[in-house]
Structures are given as structure tokens and as C-alpha cells.
């Protein structure tokens, strides 16, 4: 399988606390993405990165920030977690160049905000 | 209106059945198209790309109609192991836009 790992796999946190999710890749790809998946909504793009320190917002970026200080790591931070951010979070990577083969996803992080 | 819309599920079919999933997309500038499969509580995985001329991969056939902005997936001779959620996916400017998915349950 492609070298992409997410941590933690599961997390329970309290409302109002900051939370950071990590995505790590060993493929040296420029492009990395964070999605959230909720029943009735499918996967929605939160933020993405097209290189070190190069990031942009997706469809549902409010309440989230990201950082990419190294090619291999893309961090997603919930600045002050709310119950509406309870979700499954997926990181994805894709090779540079033409998007032919789609993305490769990590195994996901299940986040519960109580 | 959602950018990518799929048949609502679930589809419950017997083994050996043929089942078809449909999908429409709203942005005519969409560049490429995919079907992903997602097993329960797992990450989505690429099933196949979809080409304008139509393409097959074993029991799976994908079709694209750009004029109608319509994508389909046909599964022949369904197996128990085909039970999963099938996601219609569209590439817009290098970002993948996902449909909600259609759940398939294949029964013995």
C-alpha cells in the first residue's frame, strides 16, 4: 500500500480544546488533502496543500487550520473543537502531474467531540 | 444542488445479479471521473477511472456521457464481496468532489 498514515486513529476530546491530526506520507508527493466524512454529506474537502508552506481552503474550512512545514507531514488543527466537528477525517495524497489515478487515502481518524 | 449526485441506496441484490449505479455532475468543466469503493469504516479506494469511450475491468463497466453529465457503473455477476459503498467522484481543477455514495448489499 501507498505510504500514508494518519494519527491518531481515534480521539475523544472536549468541546473548546484544540486538537491536531497528523498525516504522514513517504511518497514525496506535493499534493495532500484533508477531508471529513459525515452521514448524508459524503466526503468534503477541508484544506489542501500543493507544497511546503503552500495551502488553500476547501469547501468546509471554517474552524480548521493546516500546516505543512515538511513534504511528508500535513497537520490539521481544530482550533477550538465543537460537537459539529465530530466526524471521520481522511487525509489523501496524489502524485504530481495529471490526475489520472485519483487519490490514495489514509485509514482515517475518528474524532468525537464531547 | 449538490455538485455530484448519486442514486440513493441501499441496493439489496442477490448474488449473481447485475446492478447499475448512476451519477450526475453539475460542473461541465469537470476534467476526469472515477468510481471509488468504500468498505464499512474503511478509507475509500479507487475502483476504476471512467473514460469517455467507456471502459471495463472484469465484471465492472463504467460509462461517461459528457453531454448529459452522467456517469454510470455496472456490476455483473455480483459477489458477496462486492458489498460496499460506491462513490462517484469528479475531478474539478485537481480537487476531487465526491458524491454521497450508494450502498450495495449482496445477499446469498
Amino acid at each position: 500500500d501507498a505510504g500514508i498514515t494518519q494519527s491518531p486513529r481515534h480521539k475523544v476530546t472536549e468541546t473548546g480544546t484544540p486538537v491536531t491530526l497528523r498525516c504522514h506520507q513517504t511518497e514525496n508527493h506535493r499534493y495532500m488533502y484533508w477531508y471529513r466524512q459525515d452521514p448524508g454529506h459524503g466526503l468534503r474537502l477541508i484544506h489542501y496543500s500543493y507544497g511546503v508552506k503552500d495551502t488553500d481552503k476547501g469547501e468546509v474550512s471554517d474552524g480548521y487550520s493546516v500546516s505543512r512545514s515538511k513534504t511528508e507531514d500535513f497537520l490539521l488543527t481544530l482550533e477550538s473543537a465543537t460537537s459539529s466537528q465530530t466526524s471521520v477525517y481522511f487525509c489523501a495524497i496524489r502524485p504530481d502531474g495529471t490526475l489520472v489515478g485519483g487519490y490514495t487515502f489514509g485509514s482515517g481518524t475518528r474524532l468525537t467531540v464531547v | 444542488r449538490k455538485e455530484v449526485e448519486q442514486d440513493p441506496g441501499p441496493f439489496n441484490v442477490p448474488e449473481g445479479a447485475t446492478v447499475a449505479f448512476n451519477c450526475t455532475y453539475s460542473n461541465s468543466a469537470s476534467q476526469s471521473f472515477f468510481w471509488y469503493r468504500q468498505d464499512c469504516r474503511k478509507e475509500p479506494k479507487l475502483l476504476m477511472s471512467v473514460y469517455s469511450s467507456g471502459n471495463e475491468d472484469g465484471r465492472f463497466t463504467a460509462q461517461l456521457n459528457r453531454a448529459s453529465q452522467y456517469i454510470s457503473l455496472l456490476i455483473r455477476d455480483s459477489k458477496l464481496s462486492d458489498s460496499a459503498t460506491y462513490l462517484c467522484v469528479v475531478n474539478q481543477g485537481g480537487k476531487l468532489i465526491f458524491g454521497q455514495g450508494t450502498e450495495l448489499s449482496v445477499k446469498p
Side-chain angles (χ1 to χ4, degrees):
Chain A
D1 282 354
I4 176 172
T5 54
Q6 292 183 232
S7 59
R9 293 294 309 275
H10 301 271
K11 186 169 182 67
V12 180
T13 192
E14 291 187 351
T15 298
T17 60
V19 177
T20 296
L21 310 183
R22 181 182 185 234
C23 179
H24 178 80
Q25 59 139 336
T26 58
E27 304 298 314
N28 203 36
H29 291 332
R30 281 177 57 201
Y31 295 93
M32 300 184 75
Y33 304 83
W34 277 107
Y35 282 84
R36 61 178 288 176
Q37 186 173 32
D38 305 288
H41 290 281
L43 283 106
R44 293 179 291 173
L45 182 64
I46 305 171
H47 281 280
Y48 64 100
S49 172
Y50 44 96
V52 173
K53 299 192 189 304
D54 291 323
T55 65
D56 206 347
K57 295 178 179 180
E59 176 189 357
V60 289
S61 60
D62 287 350
Y64 301 95
S65 62
V66 289
S67 66
R68 183 126 179 246
S69 59
K70 299 185 288 184
T71 298
E72 57 266 35
D73 288 325
F74 191 30
L75 305 180
L76 177 70
T77 297
L78 287 66
E79 293 141 8
S80 177
T82 67
S83 58
S84 64
Q85 294 176 311
T86 292
S87 187
V88 181
Y89 292 85
F90 287 103
C91 178
I93 60 175
R94 75 162 175 95
D96 300 351
T98 304
L99 183 60
V100 174
Y103 296 176
T104 300
F105 283 84
S107 301
T109 295
R110 292 186 176 276
L111 177 68
T112 302
V113 184
V114 298
Chain B
R1 181 186 173 190
K2 293 183 178 174
E3 292 190 72
V4 180
E5 297 204 57
Q6 295 185 238
D7 281 351
F11 282 45
N12 297 301
V13 302
E15 269 188 293
T18 295
V19 61
F21 301 139
N22 303 313
C23 170
T24 57
Y25 60 97
S26 60
N27 189 336
S28 59
S30 299
Q31 297 152 293
S32 51
F33 309 88
F34 308 91
W35 283 100
Y36 274 70
R37 170 193 169 127
Q38 186 173 25
D39 293 298
C40 188
R41 303 179 75 83
K42 299 285 191 181
E43 73 273 23
K45 292 187 177 179
L46 180 65
L47 178 66
M48 59 196 301
S49 300
V50 187
Y51 302 116
S52 297
S53 54
N55 49 297
E56 256 187 45
D57 183 2
R59 298 180 293 108
F60 298 84
T61 300
Q63 298 276 356
L64 168 66
N65 185 323
R66 282 190 183 269
S68 302
Q69 295 179 201
Y70 171 91
I71 307 162
S72 65
L73 177 68
L74 185 75
I75 305 175
R76 291 181 299 278
D77 189 23
S78 300
K79 312 291 185 191
L80 296 177
S81 57
D82 293 334
S83 296
T85 297
Y86 291 83
L87 306 172
C88 177
V89 186
V90 170
N91 169 24
Q92 290 179 11
K95 297 193 290 287
L96 294 189
I97 310 298
F98 287 78
Q100 279 187 260
T102 302
E103 184 182 346
L104 172 65
S105 180
V106 182
K107 305 291 188 185

